[in-house]
Amino acid sequence: MNELAITVIGRDRPGIVADVAEVLARLGANLTDSTMTRLRGHFAMTLICVGPAAADVEAALAPLAADGQLLATVRAVTPDGEVAPGGEPYVVAVHGADRMGIVAAMTRVLTDAGGNVTDLSTRLVGSLYVVLAEVDLPPGTVDTLTGQLDRAAAELGVEVTIRPADPDLL
């Protein structure tokens, strides 16, 4: 079996998730990890599955993209194998007036502290910009990092909070 990374993007419509999942199930592909969202009327899905060859999956998904409204890509990836613990999980929330560079500045602070962003979403509602990021931080760094995030937020004119992630939630 092959481990595959699949992306599907395009204009949103009801049934995309069901259509893709049915194609994969018919092929005997096991969906292991996925994320799906709608971004300003556009659908975006990334998933990892174990199944047949990438070319077979791509051919089976092709009819879903035949009308030009969706783009589906498939590529073989190397399984991770054993993964070392990533650190302590935290959630960082940023909100404030929209302006260029919020994500760049805040993720740079996290990265420079040795953090790894494992999930990130943003939303623009009117002039309010919201960032939610799940991050893994090296043990013992959160106190120093909190001060660095506060300074970066003040320079951007936004507010930031950081809290431990709930380990019982996905």
Side-chain angles (χ1 to χ4, degrees):
M1 294 302 259
N2 303 288
E3 189 160 49
L4 306 171
I6 301 169
T7 60
V8 179
I9 59 173
R11 174 89 35 215
D12 187 36
R13 65 165 173 76
I16 297 172
V17 173
D19 292 345
V20 171
E22 287 170 353
V23 167
L24 295 175
R26 277 195 306 272
L27 292 172
N30 184 35
L31 185 81
T32 57
D33 287 313
S34 66
T35 185
M36 301 160 213
T37 193
R38 191 173 75 168
L39 304 166
R40 298 200 176 254
H42 298 275
F43 175 83
M45 173 169 61
T46 303
L47 56 92
I48 302 293
C49 69
V50 177
D56 295 337
V57 174
E58 196 157 22
L61 290 171
L64 299 180
D67 66 359
Q69 296 295 306
L70 290 177
L71 172 66
T73 62
V74 182
R75 75 176 196 136
V77 293
T78 305
D80 283 342
E82 291 297 315
V83 178
E88 299 173 344
Y90 284 85
V91 174
V92 176
V94 180
H95 67 279
D98 185 30
R99 64 170 282 183
M100 293 285 259
I102 294 173
V103 173
M106 301 309 282
T107 57
R108 176 54 55 201
V109 170
L110 294 166
T111 299
D112 288 350
N116 184 33
V117 177
T118 58
D119 194 62
L120 183 130
S121 63
T122 64
R123 287 286 185 261
L124 178 60
V125 180
S127 64
L128 177 65
Y129 193 70
V130 178
V131 180
L132 288 175
E134 295 176 17
V135 298
D136 286 339
L137 299 177
T141 61
V142 72
D143 291 336
T144 302
L145 179 62
T146 298
Q148 295 167 338
L149 287 169
D150 287 341
R151 284 188 289 284
E155 290 176 15
L156 292 165
V158 298
E159 296 193 24
V160 64
T161 59
I162 184 168
R163 64 172 174 77
D166 186 345
D168 293 331
L169 299 176
L170 267 178

